[in-house]
Amino acid sequence: MEQEKASLAGTIVAWLAAFVMFFPILWMVITAFKTEEQAIAIPPLLIFHPVLSSFGAALAQSGYIHFAENSVIVSLCSTALAVLIAFPAAYAMAFQPGKRTQDLLVWMLSTKMLPPVGVLVPIYLIFRDTDLLDTRTSLVIVDALINLPIVVWMLFSFFRDIPRDILEAAHMDGVGPRGQMIHLLLPLAAPGIASAALLAIILSWNEAFWSINLTAAHAGTLATFIARYSAPEGLFWAKLSAASVLAVAPILIFGSLAQRRMVRGLTVGAVK
Amino acid sequence: MEQEKASLAGTIVAWLAAFVMFFPILWMVITAFKTEEQAIAIPPLLIFHPVLSSFGAALAQSGYIHFAENSVIVSLCSTALAVLIAFPAAYAMAFQPGKRTQDLLVWMLSTKMLPPVGVLVPIYLIFRDTDLLDTRTSLVIVDALINLPIVVWMLFSFFRDIPRDILEAAHMDGVGPRGQMIHLLLPLAAPGIASAALLAIILSWNEAFWSINLTAAHAGTLATFIARYSAPEGLFWAKLSAASVLAVAPILIFGSLAQRRMVRGLTVGAVK
Amino acid sequence: MARLELRKVGKTFNNFEAVKSVDLTIEDREFVVFVGPSGCGKTTLLRMIAGLEDITSGDLYIDGERANAVPPDKRGLAMVFQSYALYPHMTVARNMGFALKMAGVPKAEVEEKVRAAARILQLEPLLDRRPRMLSGGQRQRVAIGRAIVRNPKGFLFDEPLSNLDAALRVQMRIELVKLHQDLAVTMIYVTHDQVEAMTMADRIVVLNQGHIEQVGTPLELYHQPANLFVAGFIGSPKMNFFPSRAVAVGRGDATLELSPNHALSFPVPSGMSPGALAPGASVTLGLRPEHLFLANDGPLSGQVDVVEHLGVETLAYIKAVNGEMITVRADDLSPVAAGDRVSIALHPGRGSLFDAGGKAIFHLSPA
Amino acid sequence: MARLELRKVGKTFNNFEAVKSVDLTIEDREFVVFVGPSGCGKTTLLRMIAGLEDITSGDLYIDGERANAVPPDKRGLAMVFQSYALYPHMTVARNMGFALKMAGVPKAEVEEKVRAAARILQLEPLLDRRPRMLSGGQRQRVAIGRAIVRNPKGFLFDEPLSNLDAALRVQMRIELVKLHQDLAVTMIYVTHDQVEAMTMADRIVVLNQGHIEQVGTPLELYHQPANLFVAGFIGSPKMNFFPSRAVAVGRGDATLELSPNHALSFPVPSGMSPGALAPGASVTLGLRPEHLFLANDGPLSGQVDVVEHLGVETLAYIKAVNGEMITVRADDLSPVAAGDRVSIALHPGRGSLFDAGGKAIFHLSPA
């Protein structure tokens, strides 16, 4: 009764918040299908005849395919790199924790607390000196490092959910660390690894700051595609919206396919 | 034996990764204490006489204090707003889950999967039309919405760790939902709430994309302070490094004070 | 005063009938134990009485007043949870006084009541501790203390001893029985452990798949189980069941065929109605391990499979000729050993007979 | 063949001595149970034998060879974990065959061995299921099956039944004893439950605070406990302890003063060495509940506090005149009720006497 009333209020708050967060996306998609005149009409038009002209204009201007290709390659490679480094690191921290394991985890996570803008200068200089500016390699490295703490932390959490008894049973069964990793940890933490990888792919795809600052025409991702979008003349809101939709669409589709699996991995844990 | 060797390797990987992530920060701090000539010397100088001139130059150029003040206000207010909304939402989702609770959580988290650049246009238009461009209010709202899914998810996780029995016992004791929130959930989830709030403050402080795009001179945060930094003439790496150190320093100090409590909250859970 | 009446009380979760139309009256000051296997609905029934679950159908009366819609804290009942459900951030004293404080009772009065309850439960030295600094048994006591402080007219216990070790469980169940004698209030106690039910209850309610199988005193259930379920559930080791066929039914005894060519003569009480046992009927003979003894010459025989020495008694698990396992309780000096071929006799005048549907036909009791 | 010898085996964790210089020999094909309260070091000792913990000091010999540095899988021992520790992503068959597969045994041979073990444990219909689809008892069986398949010379069990309910526990402990008879291998079994120890063991090792209190057969421990700890730990309900003073020691009996003005004459075995019991010594008289009975006229008396009816027997908890609680075991027909004033007599020739340090002076056993 009282209990239910209180949580009804909470539920309403949650749905409202979700809607507010979702609203801009909705508006953007709607705007992309308007003409430039409709886009700036006040009050905003809710009923109109959708046109595709803005998409055509956005695609015509710049190499969408090229940017999309960069996005795919960078997000997949950086994720692979991050998982490859994180797997043994998380294994060591979860199953043979030393006195400094907690410190190490804290340190890794605390690098996430640095404003990226704060380390732009040294990173830029390093890549300039190594001739990696405007290459996919630079973005792969940066994105992998950015996501590494999260991936390590997630894998660590999933590994910690695996009962130690199971590894000890394998030990009694004559299975060494390699066998344990391959035959037990990998399959048991698979949902967790998948979640972590999906998250890393999405974060890397959406990463705009480093893409914009470290790349130019050659290695730019879809994030830079929008950022660099400029209309030759006149009104451009509808075209910009269309360009944004084009940049967002692949990861939105990918994300909506993957989200259940990802969120399940995030909220339920590995072996339950 | 074998077991230990395998995890030694993992531990080394973890420490190496942590060092690589930490290295740019180290370089930046060192560079900030160099002269411009030393900063571009090849090979890089490791031994030199530190100078403070770059800091002086960086502080002289633009209103550091003003930007810092904006950063403090925006990150604190946006965090407060996010926690205030998230608390009842997480309460409802954790203790009176409906059929759609899982969907709601998925939806909230999936808004994090959108590239910010994709919704820049509509957000920009909304704030332009409401005359909120270049105000702290706009940044507070945006940062609160950005952090809301994470805060809701963290609070939800912490609440879920609180045994339902305890709330039922309170119910038997004649304590209603308000009393339960105030006397039980608030104190029991306090470490969790603190963790979530600290994380939100840090994320909000470090947020650069929206600050740069939604603010100008008036409401800019320290992230924009660096982004807008420009040297009047000649070499500027050392000065830029100094400006970056100045922007990062407050949150680094705050973060290092708060990190143990935060990571404990993140890794251990609420009531154990 | 707390007299509870359940009239056709039922509970349905998403089309699953957890409790099916339960009729039960619990008298004031009675100690009633709900016992049954997991999933039998005993905890759901308790939670409906507490008010933590809505009652789907039927009526609950507390002291004559319908209580279906009365909120939990207004029913005058206190609950002790299986997990203890102590407030982890409060001291023992604050845990115990929380309900009173919330109800606006003056601080001095709260303190006095907490102190009084702590005295009963010997918790006085622990009043300033946090729950996590207490042992399992101490937490259990605090949970009971928290209930006592509210001065309820009835206590509801949900498997309160299941997290304690064996020795402490024995001790706590004695303390709970004494507490019941001292406080003189109604207590309802849920457990899956038939030993707890037997040792603590004034009356036991045996539940199975959401309905009541039998209600009775511990010794009634032990000596006169209403059906095979109760007979098998109450008592450890289990009652031996011998599926058999009534070959001939006489005035004072009946002949039961346990397996082809293996008949047994079994006494029949004189008061049995003539139609209750017909020749040719499928029946089950139920004999508890203490209704049997090892003898030089008995109607049953087999080879000893396992012998358990418990000090005060010896249990022999014997594989009968037809492959069935028979449990026999012997005294502590019995020289029986695994592998022995033994012969088993029946103590006269003990045992039960059940019909094909599992319902008891009659019980033989010692005079 | 698996004969284990522990010579002064000890284990220290961060300055905490979990196991203190344990000397123990376990013969081939013996069923030995390590029992003790939590924290007594029993699991640590088992894990050292398994090879999952390093041995800090002392030596472990398996079949005469020093095994301290031998890796766990080379010791020829298989372990069954408390949590079962099944591989959750593998079917029952793959769980059981995993060790052999990893060792490179040909597939057909693995399958055959798995099938053979499954037959013993009646797991054949479950071979294709995943662990999560099994009940607790079935998981337990799979864990045992996984151990059997490796054909070890010894089994190590770490509280394997503690996650099962009471009825299943009784059944599984019989099955384990039968398994031991069938396989004829050494088994070491760790438990905190003295009933499991009593019913399953050939020999019981009672551990307390890292050292061995006593090693013996179940009935030795029950009837001749070496000290107060063992006397109190083995047997349920607990042995009654009467702290007293030896007032006079004669040839055939001694006079014990239980409390001022309350003396008791107690028989002394003729074989006792003269110096073992001196007049004036502080001693503790230990009498199990079945060593006492309710009589019209007995040396002890008190008021019945709680009566537990277990069907086959009745336990009376009696508050003695001096405030101590006395437990008396009576038969199932005893008419005793709470509140009765009763008199308690001693069965002659039963009971134990312990000295001031807790060590047993003598035990009286039935002829």
Side-chain angles (χ1 to χ4, degrees), chain A residues 140-201:
Chain A
V140 166
I141 293 171
V142 167
D143 284 2
L145 286 179
I146 288 176
N147 289 334
L148 195 55
I150 294 178
V151 175
V152 168
W153 179 50
M154 284 181 70
L155 290 189
F156 172 76
S157 308
F158 288 114
F159 285 171
R160 250 197 351 182
D161 278 357
I162 295 175
R164 283 191 75 119
D165 280 0
I166 290 181
L167 295 196
E168 290 188 339
H171 200 176
M172 293 291 293
D173 275 355
V175 182
R178 260 186 60 126
Q180 289 172 20
M181 282 204 218
I182 295 169
H183 295 288
L184 298 177
L185 289 186
L186 210 52
L188 282 176
I193 297 168
S195 291
L198 288 174
L199 188 69
I201 289 173

Side-chain angles (χ1 to χ4, degrees), chain A residues 3 7 25 27-28 96 103 106 110 113-114 117-118 121 125-126 160 180 206 226 240 259-260 267, chain B residues 3 7 25 27-28 92 96 103 110 113-114 117-118 121 125-126 160 180 206 226 237 240 259-260 267:
Chain A
Q3 209 87 13
S7 22
I25 304 158
W27 193 348
M28 175 185 72
Q96 301 278 340
D103 292 340
V106 169
S110 60
M113 297 171 199
L114 281 176
V117 89
V121 177
L125 291 181
I126 291 170
R160 250 197 351 182
Q180 289 172 20
N206 293 346
I226 316 174
L240 190 48
Q259 67 179 11
R260 300 225 143 250
T267 53
Chain B
Q3 209 85 13
S7 23
I25 304 159
W27 193 346
M28 176 184 74
Q96 302 278 338
D103 292 339
S110 60
M113 297 171 200
L114 282 176
V117 87
V121 177
L125 291 180
I126 292 171
R160 250 196 353 183
Q180 289 172 22
N206 292 347
I226 315 174
W237 289 127
L240 190 48
Q259 67 179 10
R260 299 224 144 248
T267 54

Side-chain angles (χ1 to χ4, degrees), chain D residues 175-195:
Chain D
E175 286 189 28
L176 279 176
V177 170
K178 278 201 276 189
L179 191 72
H180 177 244
Q181 291 166 5
D182 293 348
L183 298 179
V185 293
T186 310
M187 289 191 175
I188 306 178
Y189 186 104
V190 162
T191 181
H192 65 272
D193 181 353
Q194 58 92 21
V195 175

Side-chain angles (χ1 to χ4, degrees), chain B residues 229-268:
Chain B
Y229 186 87
S230 61
E233 64 208 13
L235 295 167
F236 62 100
W237 289 127
K239 290 198 241 351
L240 190 48
S241 293
S244 298
V245 169
L246 285 174
V248 173
I251 201 68
L252 262 190
I253 293 164
F254 176 79
S256 60
L257 292 177
Q259 67 179 10
R260 299 224 144 248
R261 137 138 263 127
M262 220 180 86
V263 174
R264 202 172 316 129
L266 285 172
T267 54
V268 177

